[in-house]
Amino acid sequence: MKAAQCPSYGPPEIVRLADVSPPALAAGQVRVRVGAAAVNFPDVLLVAGEYQIRAEPPFVPGSEFAGVVEEVADDVSGVRVGDRVCGTGLVGAFAEVAVASARSLSPVPDGVEDRVAAAFGVAHRTAYHALHTVARLRAGQELVVLGAGGGVGLAAVQLGALAGARVTAVASSPRKLEAAEAEGAAVLIDHRHGGSLRAALKEALPAGADVVLDPVGGDLAEPALRSVRWGGRFVSIGFAAGIPRLPLNLVLLKGVNVTGFQLRDLAAHLPEEFTANEARLRELFAAGTVRPYIGAEFALADTAAALRCVADGKAIGKVVVRVAD
């Protein structure tokens, strides 16, 4: 089969189209003919050998896909050949065929294209659980979203506005802020060309933010933390711009709840709430109430370019790799 293979750790350009053997089907797994896959920042880190979990080269990167079930293991129930599904895993999505645990798959709603289904899962699930399970966002509250032009950021803007919050979007370009505004952001801040982020947030939120969602880290984290009102919540979900060093005196003096969030941990630690929120999000997706913002699409042969787009922070919303045209 054709796949985008990472032969050794390196920059996105190390990934190249190759003929590889289809992955073996093990107990509890399903084989899927991939229609489309989506790029996430951890894919870039895995290719570079810099993610907290390693995949040993050579491997096929890609953690998010949608397609049609071709085969199921003997012990699998509830999934049948011919079903349209979307799913996630650590690697393997940038290929004509992917194998995944049956438990990681969800049905694709009728009328939803593979490209949309592939782009939905990771970003919207991350944003939804971060906002509702962790931050306890409520209608009428002030929400600040850093990296508001990225996949998780735009999903958070969309879901925050849907929840009735007033959303302040912080992003690195006018085009990203335009996308955030289209998804429901009320306040737009360009942190690269708008002067001091701390001053901009103080002007926009004189009484402070109730919730900050931070998938960026780096130099943006501290001014965003300073914007949180007493008793507010700061949720860290990634470090695309580097790991920040936050002064704990701010946390003490402002009574801020600082929480780290990883999607894969919730099912183990909060299984009932995780399941309930997953069901609610699927309902919103099936109804067409929420949809991913797809900013760029690439052919399977151009997977390296898709990874580079995400690595350089040029992506707006989700980047999709078309596997089956």
Side-chain angles (χ1 to χ4, degrees), residues 63-322:
S63 54
E64 189 172 25
F65 62 90
V68 179
V69 175
E70 284 193 333
E71 185 181 0
V72 300
D74 292 339
D75 62 337
V76 169
S77 60
V79 182
R80 298 178 297 177
V81 172
D83 286 351
R84 295 185 63 228
V85 296
C86 54
T88 59
L90 183 64
V91 295
F94 301 146
E96 292 178 328
V97 174
V99 164
S101 166
R103 291 180 298 178
S104 72
L105 301 177
S106 299
V108 175
D110 292 341
V112 175
E113 299 175 271
D114 284 345
R115 59 193 282 276
V116 175
F120 176 74
V122 170
H124 273 77
R125 291 170 69 213
T126 298
Y128 193 91
H129 285 291
L131 292 175
H132 293 282
T133 307
V134 180
R136 308 293 181 187
L137 183 70
R138 297 290 181 264
Q141 293 188 327
E142 297 282 359
L143 167 65
V144 174
V145 179
L146 304 183
V152 172
L154 278 177
V157 169
Q158 183 186 80
L159 291 168
L162 182 65
R166 180 175 179 264
V167 182
T168 295
V170 179
S172 60
S173 74
R175 287 186 61 213
K176 291 181 178 180
L177 290 172
E178 287 173 9
E181 185 175 30
E183 296 297 334
V187 181
L188 309 175
I189 297 176
D190 185 336
H191 68 83
R192 287 188 176 173
H193 303 99
S196 164
L197 176 57
R198 180 180 178 183
L201 287 170
K202 187 173 183 179
E203 180 180 356
L205 303 164
D210 294 286
V211 174
V212 169
L213 200 66
D214 180 15
V216 179
D219 294 337
L220 303 186
E222 183 176 332
L225 176 63
R226 290 181 180 276
S227 77
V228 180
R229 66 165 180 81
W230 190 92
R233 286 86 71 202
F234 183 102
V235 183
S236 173
I237 58 176
F239 312 112
I243 299 175
R245 294 182 179 273
L246 297 177
L248 290 181
N249 63 308
L250 291 178
V251 178
L252 184 152
L253 294 173
K254 297 173 71 67
V256 176
N257 294 295
V258 178
T259 307
F261 169 78
Q262 289 192 107
L263 181 61
R264 66 174 179 267
D265 293 337
L266 283 188
H269 295 286
L270 297 171
E272 293 183 3
E273 187 167 4
F274 177 84
T275 300
N277 277 340
E278 288 278 296
R280 175 57 180 153
L281 182 58
R282 285 195 297 270
E283 290 174 359
L284 293 172
F285 185 45
T289 305
V290 295
R291 282 288 188 272
Y293 185 107
I294 298 175
E297 297 184 44
F298 294 83
L300 181 61
D302 298 321
T303 298
L307 289 163
R308 172 53 67 189
C309 181
V310 172
D312 289 348
K314 294 180 178 179
I316 300 177
K318 295 291 289 188
V319 171
V320 168
V321 173
R322 300 185 309 274

Side-chain angles (χ1 to χ4, degrees), residues 15-29:
V15 174
R16 62 201 63 178
L17 192 66
D19 289 305
V20 303
S21 299
L25 188 68
Q29 291 187 327

